[in-house]
Every structure is written in structure tokens, then in C-alpha cells.
Amino acid sequence: MEEIRIYHSIMKNIALLAVCFVFVSIGIIMLLHGEHSFIAWTVILFFGGSGLFMLFLILREKISHKAYYIITDKSVLVDSGMRKWEVCFADVEEFFLINVVSSKQIGIKYKKEVEFQKMSDASNAERTIRKMNESIAGVQESLPADGLNMKPQELCDLLNMKLTK
């Protein structure tokens, strides 16, 4: 059984980390000048937290060699740093690229009975999120495909190739 490991790319995420650093700096300058303290703290907390989390993911992957995605012959294992989950190829009809705001995602089109089961097993909050995802992206679940060491289209093609085997 061949395993393909996909990691975040440091080079592709440096720009994102730099943007977070710039916004945190702007928030600090706003605080020092006594301007819009609520907005300044919001900017600092949001962009500082996002930047630190992205840095945590990248360093965690590089130091501990924990891949973001592990693709096997039977499934994709996802380790987002917050939770681990699995997408079994037997449950999926197809994978396809979608754009959500400025982010590339790989949409997961589950088989009808699996979609129904996922919706009925979900809590009220999860059900709301799944319905929102369906209205925005056309799918209940998707896999983030930006900033990885593989291009989004290549990853999508690889996943679809695994479906046909």
C-alpha cells in the first residue's frame, strides 16, 4: 500500500505570514496612537492568532513529520492540527476544484446515501455548517488545497485517480 504525504509549503505560506505580521503591526501602531482600540485589538487578535496557527501547523509538520494529508489506496487522512478525520474513497463519487472566496478547495461529492447519513448523524451546529457549505460551495465538505507542496489541480487529479482504482 503506497502512501502519499502532503505537507504545507513554507515558501507558499510566507506571504500569508507576512500579511498577518503587517496587520498585527498596524494594530499595534493604532494602539500606541490611542486610535480605535477595539478595532486594533480585533486586528491584533485575529491576524496574530491566524499567523501563529499557520506557523504552528508548518513547524509541527516540519519538526514531527506529521503530514497534513496522507493519501492511501483506501482513503485520505486529514490532520488539520485541530482534529483528524478520514475521507474513504468508497464513499465518494468525485473530487473537483472549487473557489471559495480567494481559496482553492477540493470539493468532495459523496454518494447520495453517504451524504444523507452524514447530514442525519450531524449535530444541529454541524448540520447548519453542512447546509451553509452546500449553499456556498455546492458540497457538504471540502479539503483546503492552497499553500501545499502539491498544486491544487494535481492533488484533485490524484484523488480522482485513486477513486477509479
Side-chain angles (χ1 to χ4, degrees):
M1 179 168 85
E2 176 191 2
E3 237 183 40
I4 300 167
R5 300 169 90 65
I6 309 292
Y7 298 90
H8 282 99
S9 168
I10 292 176
M11 296 310 292
K12 291 180 182 176
N13 287 294
I14 282 180
L16 178 63
L17 292 171
V19 167
C20 289
F21 176 74
V22 166
F23 276 100
V24 168
S25 300
I26 291 169
I28 291 170
I29 291 169
M30 287 172 66
L31 275 180
L32 292 174
H33 285 90
E35 301 172 14
H36 310 287
S37 62
F38 176 76
I39 294 171
W41 278 112
T42 303
V43 166
I44 291 169
L45 292 175
F46 178 77
F47 286 99
S50 298
L52 287 174
F53 183 70
M54 194 70 217
L55 189 60
F56 160 75
L57 285 179
I58 292 169
L59 291 176
R60 178 178 156 267
E61 289 175 9
K62 297 300 176 197
I63 293 169
S64 66
H65 302 289
K66 289 186 177 193
Y68 189 57
Y69 297 134
I70 299 175
I71 303 169
T72 67
D73 291 335
K74 296 181 182 193
S75 66
V76 179
L77 301 166
V78 182
D79 186 353
S80 69
M82 300 288 281
R83 73 178 184 120
K84 295 179 182 183
W85 54 292
E86 182 176 21
V87 177
C88 295
F89 293 134
D91 296 341
V92 177
E93 269 185 36
E94 72 170 316
F95 295 98
F96 56 95
L97 275 181
I98 54 177
N99 289 317
V100 179
V101 187
S102 62
S103 169
K104 290 235 186 246
Q105 306 262 327
I106 296 175
I108 306 169
K109 182 168 173 49
Y110 286 105
K111 295 176 179 172
K112 286 293 178 200
E113 62 274 5
V114 175
E115 264 187 13
F116 179 75
Q117 189 65 46
K118 284 184 170 287
M119 190 66 85
S120 62
D121 289 347
S123 67
N124 286 335
E126 290 170 331
R127 202 171 295 126
T128 302
I129 291 169
R130 287 183 178 280
K131 287 177 183 177
M132 186 178 71
N133 287 346
E134 282 181 338
S135 68
I136 293 171
V139 292
Q140 285 186 22
E141 292 179 3
S142 63
L143 302 170
D146 282 336
L148 303 174
N149 62 353
M150 181 180 275
K151 293 180 180 173
Q153 186 62 57
E154 290 174 2
L155 180 57
C156 187
D157 292 343
L158 173 67
L159 293 172
N160 279 315
M161 195 171 63
K162 292 284 187 180
L163 279 181
T164 59
K165 288 186 177 182

